[in-house]
Amino acid sequence: MKTLSIARFLPLFALLFALVPSFASAQSADEEAIKQRIIDRVASVDALKLAGKVGENNSGLLEQRAMLKPDETKLMNAENADRRALYTLVGQRLGLTSTVVGQGRAEELRKKSAPGVWIQAPDGAWSKKG
């Protein structure tokens, strides 16, 4: 099975996470913990995407595309919960809704996804990236 290198996504994470400085230390600590969990899951999430079990939807979240084992469902749900929380924090700093932040991240994920990964276009159409 092909695996994706975390290095491929570091520029995306750096851009997303460093848009503006944190304004509260508690929020910053929460945000750093969220970022670390996302980074820690990259290899596992990539394996699900390359297996065609989940795809990147147009909201910046993972979406189930095939049957998942219970542990895979747990992984997808944990990733989505952290993504939502991060989009909310970034949105608060930028004066945007978490929906807008997620849609922006979805665009980046569409561009940077590996060939064969399911991606959803802004209009809702699904395709495998070529």
Side-chain angles (χ1 to χ4, degrees), residues 73-86:
T73 299
K74 184 177 177 181
L75 172 67
M76 180 186 71
N77 290 340
E79 178 71 10
N80 282 340
D82 280 342
R83 288 184 184 192
R84 283 184 186 102
L86 187 60

Side-chain angles (χ1 to χ4, degrees), residues 15-30:
L15 175 65
L16 178 65
F17 301 147
L19 290 174
V20 291
S22 295
F23 58 85
S25 62
Q27 185 176 5
S28 179
D30 289 345

